[in-house]
């Protein structure tokens, strides 16, 4: 059985997507940030690397969820938001490790679905907690851009 190189076409087409830079809350110096590469490797990476972008988005979702006040209604929204918001990046990384085109397309379709679900729960949180609307809106915009990128990758995989 011949194995293909994981999603090289997907990576190339996704890197062409340009977007406005989303500002995530600053990380204090006391926090640890785990990355798979050293600083020397970081400088050589493309600015629109989707693995890094989805990881930063997931981190932003987690930090945002900590600001949402705990309440029986909000607890369910927080759980759902963190689950689907962090799944976008996880599914994209899984698609990069796919052995077949069909497996890759399935993982990308999961990215599309999780991004849509994240947008939905960001909308509900914004409706529930009005002081957090601005931050929810910024995350919503980034999620919408990711959704459009993954939808485009998925559509191009059909051809």
């Amino acid at each position: 059985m011949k194995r293909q190189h994981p999603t090289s076409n997907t990576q190339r087409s996704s890197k062409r997507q340009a977007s406005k830079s989303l500002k995530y809350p600053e990380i204090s110096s006391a926090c640890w940030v785990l990355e798979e590469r050293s600083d020397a490797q970081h400088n050589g990476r493309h600015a629109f690397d989707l693995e890094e972008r989805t990881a930063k988005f997931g981190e932003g979702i987690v930090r945002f969820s900590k600001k949402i006040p705990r309440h029986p209604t909000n607890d369910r929204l927080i759980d759902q938001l963190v689950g689907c918001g962090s799944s976008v990046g996880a599914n994209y990384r899984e698609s990069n490790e796919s052995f077949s085109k069909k497996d890759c397309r399935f993982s990308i379709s999961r990215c599309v679905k999780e991004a849509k679900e994240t947008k939905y729960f960001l909308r509900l949180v914004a409706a529930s907690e009005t002081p957090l609307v601005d931050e929810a809106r910024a995350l919503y915009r980034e999620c919408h851009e990711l959704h459009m990128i993954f939808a485009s990758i998925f559509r191009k995989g059909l051809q």
Side-chain angles (χ1 to χ4, degrees):
M1 181 169 143
K2 184 177 177 184
R3 295 190 179 192
Q4 299 175 349
H5 188 315
T7 67
S8 59
N9 289 337
T10 302
Q11 290 173 346
R12 263 187 255 126
S13 66
S14 65
K15 288 182 181 179
R16 293 183 194 131
Q17 300 291 326
S19 71
K20 296 177 184 171
S21 177
L22 177 66
K23 302 289 187 220
Y24 291 105
E26 292 296 320
I27 300 172
S28 68
S29 60
C31 294
W32 286 85
V33 177
L34 301 177
E35 294 184 10
E36 294 179 3
R37 59 187 176 272
S38 67
D39 289 338
Q41 291 174 321
H42 180 70
N43 294 334
R45 296 295 293 246
H46 193 275
F48 301 108
D49 178 27
L50 276 178
E51 279 193 17
E52 184 63 23
R53 187 172 175 181
T54 55
K56 293 241 184 242
F57 175 72
E59 292 167 4
I61 289 288
V62 169
R63 284 193 294 276
F64 175 71
S65 71
K66 290 181 178 183
K67 295 177 183 178
I68 302 170
R70 300 303 286 195
H71 182 273
T73 305
N74 289 348
D75 289 345
R76 177 72 175 161
L77 296 177
I78 293 167
D79 293 343
Q80 291 287 339
L81 179 62
V82 171
C84 58
S86 59
S87 291
V88 175
N91 284 308
Y92 179 68
R93 285 173 182 252
E94 184 178 330
S95 74
N96 285 339
E97 300 300 322
S98 301
F99 291 112
S100 68
K101 188 173 182 178
K102 184 177 178 181
D103 189 29
C104 176
R105 287 191 64 245
F106 176 75
S107 294
I108 292 294
S109 73
R110 292 298 318 155
C111 291
V112 173
K113 291 177 183 180
E114 295 293 344
K116 284 177 77 172
E117 189 176 341
T118 303
K119 290 191 315 185
Y120 176 75
F121 284 109
L122 281 168
R123 179 180 175 175
L124 292 181
V125 169
S128 173
E129 298 299 325
T130 53
L132 299 173
V133 168
D134 290 335
E135 193 171 349
R137 185 175 292 130
L139 288 167
Y140 186 94
R141 282 188 199 122
E142 175 68 0
C143 189
H144 180 70
E145 288 181 15
L146 290 171
H147 173 242
M148 298 307 289
I149 290 168
F150 290 125
S152 175
I153 292 169
F154 182 75
R155 278 192 311 271
K156 289 181 195 255
L158 292 173
Q159 297 171 353

